[in-house]
Amino acid sequence: MLDLQNSLAHPLVIRREDYTPPEWLVPETSLDFVLDPSTTRVTATLSVTRNGDHASPLRLDGAGQKPLSVTVDGVAINDWRIDGEQLVIPLAGAAHVVETQVEIAPDRNTQLMGLYASGGNLCTQCEAEGFRRITYFPDRPDVLSVYSVRMTADRTHFPVLLANGDPVAQGQLDDGRHWATWHDPFPKPSYLFALVAGDLAVNRGRFTTMSGREVSLGIWVREADLPKTDHALKALEPRDGVGRDDLWPRI
């Protein structure tokens, strides 16, 4: 329940005149999820670049996760620290590859922000600042990144693995799990990140763009709700049956 009295006593005030650009940018983000309702392990590989002439360390927002390891340019480091809920990593150069590994517990995430369990599925809600509950990241809307995502999960309980962008590859493992990788080629803020793992059915459609490119559409829901999705699928299709390429870059 929202603590209304406390929220009124301590309002969150963000003023435009207080804005400062991010000290570090993250052009590319690679995420590897080993999904499990009770203990999910997230490995994040961030390509970071210093934004401007400064000597500030890299500060990554976090909330509620258990940090396991930090590496910089492939070398494990121990001089990182937690400041409040931020992970602070000293970096000397202008560009580095930073990898963090954390554990989170989706089935104990009652805030429904970040990665949480719901109805037997694992879902994400990252707007406005939920991504920091998944992994350490500069969780602000002016840090845009291209995301690649790999998910591994039990194939009986989570037969469908979805994320932003385009499906790249998928496969089966010998231990009853399966995996899938997705890649979103368009830079986006962390609050737009999305992931779903579960037992879902799909209503599919398709159309052809003006240049002749085939676009596939899919509405994923619980199987019982599949008859309710025809209108949503029709809403995605161009009214004249032919879509402009600039409006449908990736589906």
Side-chain angles (χ1 to χ4, degrees):
M1 181 179 293
L2 174 65
D3 186 347
L4 182 59
Q5 181 176 358
N6 187 61
S7 65
L8 291 176
H10 304 281
L12 176 62
V13 177
I14 301 175
R15 296 184 174 88
R16 184 174 58 181
E17 57 268 26
D18 296 332
Y19 172 81
T20 57
E23 295 176 331
W24 289 86
L25 302 177
V26 187
E28 296 182 1
T29 298
S30 177
L31 301 171
D32 190 333
F33 290 84
V34 180
L35 294 167
D36 183 87
S38 61
T39 305
T40 288
R41 182 165 294 192
V42 185
T43 302
T45 304
L46 312 180
S47 297
V48 301
T49 58
R50 195 180 299 272
N51 188 26
D53 185 14
H54 64 83
S56 299
L58 176 67
R59 288 181 170 269
L60 303 176
D61 299 308
Q65 61 268 78
K66 176 184 178 182
L68 300 177
S69 65
V70 178
T71 68
V72 175
D73 299 328
V75 179
I77 65 169
N78 295 315
D79 56 348
W80 55 271
R81 60 186 174 89
I82 300 295
D83 182 11
E85 292 188 315
Q86 287 188 322
L87 174 64
V88 182
I89 305 172
L91 297 175
H96 297 275
V97 176
V98 174
E99 180 182 287
T100 63
Q101 190 173 88
V102 303
E103 283 185 354
I104 54 178
D107 62 355
R108 296 196 297 275
N109 180 1
T110 59
Q111 296 199 11
L112 306 184
M113 295 290 291
L115 179 66
Y116 61 93
S118 176
N121 301 320
L122 297 177
C123 314
T124 59
Q125 166 57 40
C126 295
E127 191 172 0
E129 295 181 339
F131 190 75
R132 66 188 63 193
R133 293 187 168 273
I134 297 174
T135 189
Y136 287 107
F137 196 83
D139 191 15
R140 46 188 289 172
D142 54 355
V143 175
L144 307 183
S145 191
V146 171
Y147 286 76
S148 296
V149 179
R150 176 186 169 99
M151 296 162 283
T152 303
D154 181 277
R155 62 175 176 261
T156 299
H157 293 96
F158 306 104
V160 176
L161 303 174
L162 305 173
N164 301 86
D166 302 315
V168 176
Q170 59 184 348
Q172 308 288 331
L173 300 176
D174 294 335
D175 59 0
R177 298 183 301 164
H178 68 144
W179 59 270
T181 59
W182 290 71
H183 176 68
D184 189 348
F186 300 99
K188 65 175 181 283
S190 55
Y191 72 81
L192 290 179
F193 176 81
L195 177 155
V196 177
D199 189 2
L200 303 172
V202 62
N203 188 356
R204 294 193 182 276
R206 62 189 310 110
F207 66 89
T208 305
T209 66
M210 297 173 65
S211 68
R213 181 166 60 89
E214 291 289 325
V215 174
S216 298
L217 303 174
I219 305 293
W220 293 85
V221 294
R222 296 177 303 174
E223 189 169 4
D225 294 329
L226 205 57
K228 306 175 184 178
T229 60
D230 287 339
H231 178 73
L233 191 61
K234 284 293 183 183
L236 292 175
E237 297 174 353
R239 185 172 301 178
D240 58 2
V242 180
R244 286 171 47 191
D245 285 77
D246 59 335
L247 296 181
W248 295 96
R250 287 291 189 278
I251 295 295

